[in-house]
Amino acid sequence: MSIFEGTAVALVTPMKEDGAVDYKRLDELVEWQINEGTDAIVACGTTGEASTLANHEHISVIEAVVKRAAGRVPIIAGTGVNDTNHAIELSTGAESVGADALLIVTPYYNKASDTGLFLHYEKIAQSVKLPIILYSVQSRTNMNLSTAMVEKLITIPNIVGIKEASGNISQIADICRLASDDFTVYSGNDDQVLPLMVLGGKGSISTIANVAPKQTHELAQAVLDDNYELARKLQLDQLPLIHALFSEVNPIPVKTAVGLLGKIDPYFRLPLSSAQSETIERLKKEMTAYGLEVQV
């Protein structure tokens, strides 16, 4: 069975001016997301600036999201790094604080051979009882999960899905051939939710859901309901805002946009820095055009 169907938000991690995690704002974001209809929450993914969090912060953020959600939606913990033992440490930590599933990105920088990649995932999977979603995003990791590798990885019992963010629609279609009751494909690109779901995917792990959770849920639900005319309109309506949200490296624009809604103070940890002035103006324009209420 799928961990979720519909939309999971790749949640930003609110921070204070001194860089500390803002747990009060984090609680408020989780509550808002659930009230707006988001189907699942990813804590400590790329959009959550996980690569800048110390181990204790990483697990603490996951725990805070689990506690606030209180079983209302599945909580998926991002625990993938480029060191297998470190990934196991984060994964077992996430399991111990109540996460429902794990999102494991391919190793970055040091990369791996096909053999090493399989052993990396196998060893992590064997260390936990939780279901695991693979994460393929070559633009960030310089590693692609080919269809052949995915087909091999899903022989590992608790690997149950993939966040496909290659952007390659031919590869997406090929991987969707592997979809089954035991293996779910999710879109990792907000501009490809409709085509991926039409090919057999069950939803998305979304960045834009940070600012438009209700609308993003409605898009995925429209496809699940076979209402393709509505889904096409909702997907196309989002495109200008999606382009604005990726006009600088993620999560700079989306975290700025959440700040423009008045829901967080958009502070970052280096090497990420504040959005450029032209990015902020573009976000204000596209958010307003999309019907969002910019507060500042």
Side-chain angles (χ1 to χ4, degrees):
M1 297 293 292
S2 301
I3 297 166
F4 74 95
E5 293 187 0
T7 299
V9 60
L11 195 67
V12 299
T13 302
M15 294 173 181
K16 300 177 181 179
E17 189 172 8
D18 64 0
V21 175
D22 190 336
Y23 288 97
K24 179 178 182 295
R25 294 283 199 162
L26 181 62
D27 277 357
E28 292 169 355
L29 286 182
V30 171
E31 199 65 34
W32 179 59
Q33 286 287 333
I34 294 172
N35 289 339
E36 290 289 294
T38 293
D39 301 289
I41 296 174
V42 174
C44 296
T46 304
T47 307
E49 295 176 80
S51 58
T52 68
L53 297 175
N55 277 13
H56 72 277
E57 293 175 310
H58 200 123
I59 302 306
S60 180
V61 168
I62 295 165
E63 183 176 22
V65 174
V66 168
K67 286 183 176 179
R68 174 53 63 173
R72 289 175 289 172
V73 297
I75 305 303
I76 302 162
T79 56
V81 291
N82 65 337
D83 167 35
T84 306
N85 288 330
H86 186 192
I88 289 171
E89 182 180 359
L90 292 175
S91 298
T92 55
E95 184 173 48
S96 72
V97 297
D100 297 291
L102 306 175
L103 179 67
I104 308 287
V105 73
T106 54
Y108 44 83
Y109 187 70
N110 50 3
K111 304 189 291 183
S113 65
D114 284 351
T115 299
L117 187 60
F118 180 85
L119 293 173
H120 171 76
Y121 277 109
E122 182 181 52
K123 191 170 182 181
I124 296 168
Q126 289 172 345
S127 74
V128 293
K129 296 179 180 178
L130 294 179
I132 291 172
I133 300 174
L134 307 170
Y135 183 13
S136 180
V137 57
Q138 188 173 7
S139 62
R140 280 189 175 268
T141 65
N142 205 27
M143 283 210 74
N144 178 53
L145 284 178
S146 66
T147 307
M149 177 53 68
V150 173
E151 194 165 14
K152 185 175 180 182
L153 287 169
I154 63 178
T155 63
I156 298 170
N158 50 333
I159 289 182
V160 301
I162 184 170
K163 177 183 178 182
E164 225 297 346
S166 69
N168 182 336
I169 196 65
S170 296
Q171 175 172 294
I172 289 168
D174 212 24
I175 287 175
C176 281
R177 291 190 304 106
L178 304 175
S180 68
D181 289 342
D182 299 318
F183 184 71
T184 306
V185 183
Y186 299 107
S187 174
N189 289 327
D190 284 318
D191 59 351
Q192 294 182 334
V193 176
L194 174 56
L196 182 144
M197 291 188 68
V198 168
L199 287 165
K202 294 298 183 182
S204 68
I205 297 176
S206 171
T207 298
I208 194 175
N210 278 284
V211 294
K214 181 175 182 290
Q215 300 91 326
T216 309
H217 164 80
E218 288 173 348
L219 165 57
Q221 191 60 51
V223 187
L224 292 171
D225 293 340
D226 297 330
N227 190 344
Y228 300 117
E229 183 176 352
L230 174 60
R232 180 173 61 84
K233 180 182 186 305
L234 293 172
Q235 177 78 92
L236 295 177
D237 285 350
Q238 282 195 340
L239 287 182
L241 179 53
I242 290 168
H243 296 326
L245 289 171
F246 288 91
S247 56
E248 290 190 50
V249 66
N250 183 47
I252 291 174
V254 70
K255 199 172 190 182
T256 302
V258 179
L260 290 171
L261 292 177
K263 297 191 175 297
I264 64 169
D265 299 312
Y267 295 117
F268 301 86
R269 286 185 179 181
L270 291 171
L272 298 184
S273 57
S274 298
Q276 299 176 23
S277 58
E278 53 265 36
T279 300
I280 296 171
E281 292 308 310
R282 182 177 179 183
L283 287 168
K284 288 180 178 179
K285 174 186 173 184
E286 297 301 346
M287 290 169 71
T288 301
Y290 190 64
L292 304 180
E293 294 184 9
V294 174
Q295 301 294 313
V296 291

